[in-house]
Amino acid sequence: MPQQEQYRQRSYALSREALELINELGLSANPINYAVFFAYVEKSNDDLVALIDILRGNKRALDDVKCHELYQRFIEPSRAELLRETIAHELHRQVSDLIDRLAKGNDVISTAELRDAAHDLLGIGNRANAQQAAKGVNDADPAPVEVTQLLLDLEEMKREAHTDGLTGIANRKAFDESLRDAAMTTMERGEPLSILLIDIDHFKRVNDKHGHQAGDQVIRTLAKTLQQNVKGRDTTARYGGEEFAVVLPATTLADAMRVAENIRASIESLHVRSFNRNEDLGRITASVGVATYRLGEPLTRVIDRADQALYLAKANGRNCVMNQNDLLTQPINRAESA
């Protein structure tokens, strides 16, 4: 089936679904409601979909007024942006044609002068459109407290979904997304990308001897130490249990090794006491595995190399840093590293 025919049939199907939903909810079949629910069934705006799902899930009334508010917040801004882009493109085309015609006619006005005038014209046009669009937004009725609060709740849910509850740093899901985004940037720009996997040595002993609250305290302290040893664009995450991960964009293997060694030394220098029992928890150490992403490879492979390097660090006595190159010369005995 030709692509155009597929698109046509999909559009008809989405239109029917949107109209059926409008009818089911007892709404008016006006253009504004249609635009809102077409975007909803098409799933072209994640925030709009999530907000309508929340309203429907809580059995909150969806009337024409609320749909108009959703339209103003989610649909109208994108339409205004598209209009601005269309106007700017058309102005640019018209002015370029004018410049070409006058330049070919050997007019006394230089092409450079005409081009400067055209840029000024485009600037004025864009400013006028932007001001008009801004005026429209400012003149719009403010969204009611309920919609605004739902949007704030939605943002909070997004944040919580990417945050580890115990430490406040990124969780495994956020690590996966950060690594994926960093890998895409690496492939676009040809920059290096490295990751660290960090595991607290003999963590079970801490739990067994001092209790789980002390173990949680150690994990929180390690998370804080990691954040103090990385740059703003790096991502520190709790990978699971007593294991952490760090994404290091634009970082070579050698530089990642230096970061890893700084982290290891900082952890070794910690002096941790149990809050609830006021006990000295002894020296805390960690083992670190380092790997660098190879362009085009599945992300599971770089994670696996870092994981193998981590096991090698544990097999070599713990409290040390190993990288993917060490795997070529030293076999891994997972029984020794357990």
Side-chain angles (χ1 to χ4, degrees), residues 167-226:
T167 63
I169 65 174
N171 59 15
R172 173 65 180 273
K173 179 180 180 180
F175 165 79
D176 290 338
E177 293 183 4
S178 176
L179 181 58
R180 184 178 66 247
D181 292 343
M184 291 177 62
T185 301
T186 291
M187 289 188 287
E188 289 172 0
R189 301 178 182 176
E191 296 176 343
L193 166 64
S194 298
I195 67 169
L196 314 179
L197 287 184
I198 304 150
D199 191 78
I200 303 173
D201 296 329
H202 301 300
F203 181 72
K204 186 175 183 299
R205 295 180 186 176
V206 176
N207 279 334
D208 291 345
K209 184 176 180 180
H210 302 283
H212 288 282
Q213 288 187 343
D216 288 348
Q217 184 183 332
V218 169
I219 289 175
R220 285 192 292 266
T221 302
L222 263 289
K224 184 177 180 180
T225 302
L226 290 180

Side-chain angles (χ1 to χ4, degrees), residues 63-78:
D63 54 20
D64 291 345
V65 173
K66 194 174 296 297
C67 285
H68 188 264
E69 293 160 2
L70 294 172
Y71 178 87
Q72 287 180 319
R73 186 173 290 273
F74 294 108
I75 308 299
E76 200 168 61
S78 60

Side-chain angles (χ1 to χ4, degrees), residues 45-59:
N45 187 305
D46 292 341
D47 288 342
L48 172 65
V49 171
L51 190 52
I52 291 178
D53 284 343
I54 291 172
L55 290 169
R56 296 181 69 194
N58 293 339
K59 301 188 183 305

